[in-house]
């Protein structure tokens, strides 16, 4: 996991609902693996975005969506 991934992982895990950490870790791991393999694209992001939002604490959705948007800007599709 590179430094950028670690920062996003730490941020994401701070915003996950209690009891949903394992599901979030699996989604994050898969996303980082796809990124490293060059297979993380807009289609995949659109597929997993609702899954992430189901795991985020409702009062933290807006901040999480903003952070994800910034992270996505760094990706080249």
């Amino acid at each position: 996991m590179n430094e950028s991934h670690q920062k996003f992982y730490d941020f994401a895990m701070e915003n996950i609902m209690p009891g949903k950490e394992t599901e979030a870790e699996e989604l994050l791991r898969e996303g980082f693996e796809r990124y490293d393999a060059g297979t993380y694209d807009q289609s995949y992001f659109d597929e997993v975005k609702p899954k992430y939002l189901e795991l985020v604490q409702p009062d933290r959705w807006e901040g999480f969506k903003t952070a994800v948007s910034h992270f996505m800007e760094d990706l080249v599709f």
Side-chain angles (χ1 to χ4, degrees):
M1 185 179 311
N2 68 36
E3 185 177 337
S4 175
H5 292 170
Q6 186 65 52
K7 286 180 182 179
F8 185 77
Y9 173 89
D10 292 343
F11 172 79
M13 294 307 291
E14 290 173 3
N15 291 282
I16 298 299
M17 287 187 283
K20 299 293 186 177
E21 295 89 356
T22 301
E23 293 171 67
E25 287 175 347
E26 290 173 12
L27 282 172
L28 289 164
R29 180 191 46 76
E30 180 181 345
F32 296 147
E33 287 174 0
R34 284 177 168 262
Y35 179 82
D36 290 341
T39 59
Y40 195 110
D41 58 14
Q42 187 66 47
S43 175
Y44 175 73
F45 174 70
D46 292 342
E47 175 188 328
V48 297
K49 183 179 175 181
K51 294 176 186 179
Y52 277 113
L53 293 179
E54 290 176 6
L55 303 176
V56 174
Q57 297 176 43
D59 63 326
R60 298 186 181 180
W61 283 348
E62 291 306 316
F64 188 80
K65 287 192 286 188
T66 300
V68 169
S69 294
H70 289 294
F71 180 74
M72 291 302 295
E73 288 173 5
D74 294 338
L75 298 179
V76 177
F77 292 118

